[in-house]
């Protein structure tokens, strides 16, 4: 797992981002998608290639990786959809499972 702490924009972030080889199962009330994870933090994640969900959609996510002792679960809101240089969607969490941080830090 790679931490993005050296990136200048990351110094201003509330939570450190981590790159982990993982897949994200992400769904709203109507659709479910599986997409590769770009990065994750205690505050949210960026999912590569997924641009089908609209800005402001409420979603639930499950992140599965061999680096985690168990899948991570969270819910949040789509806060950014990128379609230019980097293609994907950003989710800002409003809830994470109790042991989310411990599992993330052990990876």
């Amino acid at each position: 797992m790679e931490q993005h702490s050296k990136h200048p924009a990351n110094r201003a972030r509330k939570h450190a981002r981590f790159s982990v080889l993982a897949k994200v199962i992400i769904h709203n009330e109507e659709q479910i998608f599986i997409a590769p994870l770009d990065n994750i933090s205690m505050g949210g994640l960026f999912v590569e290639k997924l641009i089908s969900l609209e800005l402001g959609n409420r979603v639930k996510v499950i992140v599965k990786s061999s680096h985690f002792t168990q899948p991570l679960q969270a819910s949040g809101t789509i806060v950014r959809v990128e379609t230019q240089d980097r293609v994907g969607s950003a989710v800002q969490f409003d809830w994470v499972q109790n042991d989310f941080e411990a599992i993330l830090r052990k990876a």
Side-chain angles (χ1 to χ4, degrees):
M1 177 171 66
E2 177 184 344
Q3 186 174 354
H4 291 279
S5 60
K6 294 181 181 175
H7 189 279
N10 202 42
R11 285 190 273 264
R13 293 181 181 276
K14 186 175 180 180
H15 303 286
R17 292 182 294 166
F18 299 91
S19 291
V20 181
L21 184 59
K23 66 179 175 181
V24 180
I25 301 165
I26 183 169
H27 63 95
N28 59 14
E29 294 299 318
E30 301 166 0
Q31 301 168 298
I32 187 167
F33 302 93
I34 299 174
L37 177 71
D38 180 74
N39 65 68
I40 189 168
S41 74
M42 283 297 297
L45 57 76
F46 189 84
V47 183
E48 295 178 352
K49 303 177 185 173
L50 178 62
I51 57 171
S52 302
L53 292 166
E54 294 181 12
L55 199 63
N57 272 173
R58 298 262 319 126
V59 294
K60 293 180 181 177
V61 299
I62 299 171
V63 183
K64 292 186 171 189
S65 173
S66 62
H67 298 282
F68 300 151
T69 56
Q70 67 185 58
L72 297 175
Q73 296 184 50
S75 64
T77 303
I78 302 291
V79 293
R80 192 172 70 254
V81 177
E82 297 185 16
T83 58
Q84 298 295 317
D85 299 329
R86 174 167 89 155
V87 176
S89 298
V91 176
Q92 181 176 6
F93 297 147
D94 57 29
W95 174 87
V96 295
Q97 69 189 63
N98 289 335
D99 52 356
F100 187 100
E101 184 172 17
I103 295 168
L104 185 59
R105 297 231 177 255
K106 286 181 186 176

